[in-house]
Amino acid sequence: MKVNILRRETRDKEPYWESFIYNGPEDNSVAGLLDYINYNDDIRNDKGEKTTRIDWECSCIQGICGACAMIVNDKPVLACEAFLRDIEGEEITLRPLSKFPVIHDLVVERPMHEILTDNNVFIGEYSPAENRDFQQDYNAAKCLKCGLCIEVCPKYTDGRMFYGAPFANDCYLVAARNEQKAGEIAEIYEKHFKSECAYDLACEKICPMGIKFTASMKKLNSIKRGDGDRSF
Amino acid sequence: MDALIIGSGIAGMACAVRLARHGIHVTLISPSLSEHSESVMAAGGINAMLTENDEGDSVESHVQDTLKGGSYIGGEEAVRGLCGHGEEIIRFLESIGTVFSVDGEGRPSRRAFGGQSHKRTYYCGASTGKQIVSALVMETRRFEAAGMITRRLKYSFHSGLIKDGICYGALLFNLERSRLEAFFSDFTVIATGGQNALFGKTTGSTMCDGYAAGRLFMQGADLKNLEFIQYHPTTLETPQKKMLISEAVRGEGGRLFYLENGERVYFMEDKYGEKGNLMTRDIVSREIYGCGKDVFLDISFLDGQTIDERLPEVRDLCMKYRGIDIKKEPIPVTPSVHFFMGGLAVHLNHETSILNLFAVGECASMYHGANRLGGNSLLSAMYSGFVAADEISGRYSHRKYPDFSTYMENERKILNKDYDSRSSFPVFYIRDLLSVTMNDDLGIVRDEKNLKKGRKKTDYYLSVADKLRYDRSVSQYTNYSLKAMLTLAGATLKAAEERRESRGAHYRSDYNETKDEYAYATLVSYINGDYSVRLDRENIYES
């Protein structure tokens, strides 16, 4: 199998394509494929030229940390959950997520943590509303901050004004746990999410954790409207 | 006063938020987001004695279960502190928004875990670690916004800034700029997790490699109980790694069996009775290893709704990676390296043998003795972070730092020398050899011959490591971490060789009895390039 990878040495250098030939196990994932190529004693590209090892992030290798998010054949995925058996054709193309600055090869800088900190999206004093929806809280708290939802979002550009689904998700988690802060959080949510969201719901479809962003958004919208439906 | 915490998983964050609450500024270092830490992989639950626990359960009962599980070398005073704070920790986690699974009346639910006399494992579905991480990330963010915690991402540990047995901070490697930077601090806390990478790919994170413990060992810190390595009895083999099948499956009634003449043999129940499947992990692992057959774990008899509610992550993992429907068929399981009871030796206050240097979480050896009970790791990660923070908050700032410029210049030269190399000798090659050695010679069942063989090999790799010209296309961290990892591996083999008995997770086929003369922790010091192994008969780390 031919593997085409969009590589980059550093932030300030231009990206370039390099191809490799993969002859490893057919039941591997893309994460396994990258390990296979990198762990060879001598790494060479498809022209037989000696080259450098491919940099990518990984930690759990089982779809629960989100570190290995990348684009495989034009589809944003977690590399450890993308299996070669599902790839059509004899070639596979790997690119870093396109909405974030690339640090090196397939490694990107995801800004969600800074955005959430800068906007005071934290619980503070815990005072949850009555009738909490534990299932929704549980699902929302599984967000990996992997960035796949942002990659497919038609509205997210550079993260300066519109912050994307992980932002809305954490706003929900704060509002669900601190009733006093719910109004303040709903205002921030309105400004940096709701007013721009296209309700395309690509975020929900791609989420590897299956988080129901719409349920979070519905609750935050009702707080914003002040229609009294503040149950969680 | 300030503190430097290296590692931002549960133990690191617990320490950070506790220090921030004490008014102490924290710099929190990690190569990646907390969401990428190994802590998110802890599945099953967290043990605690709460007032609503079953009648007959008590803190004392939790203490006795923990000490017994650890074959009575876990340190009684330390274990009493751990178990005595279970309720406080659960209440704290609830108060920062951790989403515990609840019963019909909204109270946190409990499940049974191996080696426990009562049902006291509180849980969040099958992703307890992830839920705790999410809550702690939010709480950390609160103090980041207030300027009390500063996160520095894309940094890895290089070495301690240590002089005359006192730590003044750490030399860190800036992964993006590929350079060493000094971070001075009143107190330094290591929270870097276990030494998984010595064994290649385990159930845990690829980021946990034991380097920090190995390097600090070479800089004078004592190590403890390295030979006690927990094999989790139920992991699922996949092409990329062995994946943990949570003990929650057995907690929910899962049964282990193998096939003989087409009939199921429930070997754990046959040998140990009704609770056989929930024996401690060391016993179950040895029984699976010893039976020499393909072993399966069956939960398919539970109704589908219960599986969906209580074990959704296990259901999804088996389907995704192996196409196994756990509602219809049993799971093929095999033991795999899972947790390290050994690590940096720490006193009751979690300070290492080096003044002002602390260690918390899995990289520190405390509480678990010769074998850890399921559900006690999350408890100890939280508790150890709190203990270290409380200790630091009672100390004074020294604010006078010795001159480390010669040390730093020397380390930079060593790094640059490796980086200037044009050789293609891959450090991965030696890491692969190391993992084969450790799995072969330090497995579930050990003997002197294999342990000596393993040591001979690690000694050889170490002798080569000094002469290597590294492959410059591998990250410099991967290169410079090799020698300390090999040193840690050598110390581990030596500790296992010196413990000529069987205890907990350390099983010797040539010394298969537990001996009173070995009822102490093992300590290892690094002296003039060699390992000095002794038993802690004076209990110096029990104070």
Side-chain angles (χ1 to χ4, degrees), chain A residues 27-208:
Chain A
D27 56 350
N28 232 335
S29 66
V30 171
L33 171 147
L34 284 165
D35 267 353
Y36 186 89
I37 293 173
N38 273 339
Y39 280 169
N40 273 324
D41 289 358
D42 194 12
I43 183 167
R44 292 185 183 268
N45 63 23
D46 63 334
K47 298 187 184 80
E49 297 161 342
K50 194 166 162 42
T51 186
T52 55
R53 282 162 217 280
I54 305 143
D55 198 11
W56 63 293
E57 278 190 291
C58 78
S59 176
C60 74
I61 334 181
Q62 61 181 85
I64 51 176
C65 82
C68 65
M70 61 180 70
I71 301 173
V72 176
N73 283 359
D74 297 325
K75 190 179 173 196
V77 292
L78 299 182
C80 63
E81 293 190 330
F83 296 97
L84 302 185
R85 60 176 180 257
D86 299 326
I87 302 288
E88 289 177 8
E90 290 301 306
E91 290 198 20
I92 182 168
T93 299
L94 311 182
R95 288 185 288 134
L97 296 177
S98 67
K99 298 279 179 81
F100 308 121
V102 177
I103 295 173
H104 184 205
D105 287 346
L106 300 166
V107 179
V108 296
E109 184 176 69
R110 288 168 261 219
M112 283 84 87
H113 187 78
E114 287 75 12
I115 288 172
L116 289 160
T117 305
D118 292 347
N119 284 278
N120 292 328
V121 184
F122 55 81
I123 297 167
E125 296 311 312
Y126 181 69
S127 59
E130 288 182 9
N131 305 320
R132 285 172 60 191
D133 182 345
F134 279 95
Q135 194 57 49
Q136 174 63 11
D137 288 4
Y138 179 79
N139 287 335
K142 285 170 83 173
C143 175
L144 305 178
K145 306 291 186 294
C146 62
L148 293 183
C149 55
I150 286 177
E151 184 66 28
V152 296
C153 177
K155 286 290 180 181
Y156 187 100
T157 51
D158 56 7
R160 288 188 187 166
M161 270 309 291
F162 179 74
Y163 295 153
F167 179 78
N169 189 64
D170 274 30
C171 284
Y172 163 80
L173 285 169
V174 172
R177 292 164 165 82
N178 186 345
E179 205 173 11
Q180 279 72 47
K181 201 175 176 180
E184 176 196 329
I185 282 293
E187 288 289 339
I188 301 170
Y189 158 81
E190 163 86 16
K191 185 178 174 189
H192 292 293
F193 185 82
K194 184 172 180 278
S195 60
E196 292 288 325
C197 177
Y199 292 93
D200 169 86
L201 299 186
C203 51
E204 200 165 280
K205 288 176 200 144
I206 198 113
C207 177

Side-chain angles (χ1 to χ4, degrees), chain B residues 372-383:
Chain B
R372 175 181 66 83
L373 294 186
N376 269 356
S377 61
L378 287 175
L379 182 64
S380 61
M382 289 295 305
Y383 179 66

Side-chain angles (χ1 to χ4, degrees), chain B residues 78-279:
Chain B
V79 170
R80 284 193 186 285
L82 175 79
C83 301
H85 286 79
E87 178 148 21
E88 180 192 332
I89 285 166
I90 297 288
R91 300 299 179 217
F92 170 80
L93 290 172
E94 282 186 309
S95 78
I96 61 168
T98 305
V99 189
F100 284 100
S101 295
V102 291
D103 62 19
E105 293 169 21
R107 294 175 306 195
S109 301
R110 282 169 286 133
R111 60 169 51 120
F113 252 32
Q116 302 200 122
S117 55
H118 293 83
K119 205 190 249 193
R120 65 170 81 89
T121 306
Y122 288 85
Y123 63 96
C124 315
S127 66
T128 311
K130 172 62 184 172
Q131 295 290 329
I132 293 175
V133 166
S134 291
L136 277 170
V137 164
M138 193 81 90
E139 186 70 355
T140 305
R141 197 183 290 154
R142 172 190 192 180
F143 290 105
E144 286 177 73
M148 291 303 295
I149 295 176
T150 305
R151 267 188 196 264
R152 300 296 293 268
L153 296 168
K154 301 289 173 199
Y155 279 89
S156 284
F157 179 76
H158 175 275
S159 55
L161 292 171
I162 297 166
K163 202 157 264 182
D164 300 327
I166 303 172
C167 181
Y168 298 92
L171 202 54
L172 303 177
F173 185 69
N174 182 326
L175 291 161
E176 194 177 349
R177 295 179 184 274
S178 289
R179 69 182 186 201
L180 291 173
E181 295 175 18
F183 281 62
F184 289 93
S185 183
D186 293 319
F187 302 99
T188 304
V189 182
I190 305 296
T192 49
Q195 44 263 36
N196 305 353
L198 302 188
F199 290 81
K201 284 179 181 166
T202 65
T203 58
S205 165
T206 56
M207 293 201 294
C208 295
D209 56 19
Y211 167 71
R215 177 73 191 218
L216 289 165
F217 173 59
M218 294 169 78
Q219 291 187 281
D222 283 346
L223 297 175
K224 181 180 152 190
N225 284 347
L226 294 176
E227 67 273 33
F228 297 111
I229 297 162
Q230 183 173 82
Y231 276 74
H232 197 288
T234 58
T235 72
L236 178 69
E237 289 219 47
T238 76
Q240 50 206 53
K241 68 179 286 194
K242 286 179 179 170
M243 296 191 181
L244 179 73
I245 301 299
S246 169
E247 191 163 316
V249 177
R250 285 177 291 132
E252 297 295 345
R255 304 177 74 188
L256 289 160
F257 72 90
Y258 58 75
L259 290 172
E260 199 163 69
N261 303 322
E263 297 288 318
R264 287 186 177 192
V265 177
Y266 294 100
F267 58 99
M268 290 305 296
E269 294 163 49
D270 291 348
K271 187 161 179 181
Y272 297 98
E274 196 184 335
K275 282 191 169 181
N277 296 296
L278 277 171
M279 296 298 288

Side-chain angles (χ1 to χ4, degrees), chain B residues 415-427:
Chain B
L415 215 60
N416 290 338
K417 194 182 94 186
D418 291 340
Y419 198 54
D420 282 343
S421 162
R422 291 289 183 274
S423 163
S424 63
F425 199 95
V427 71

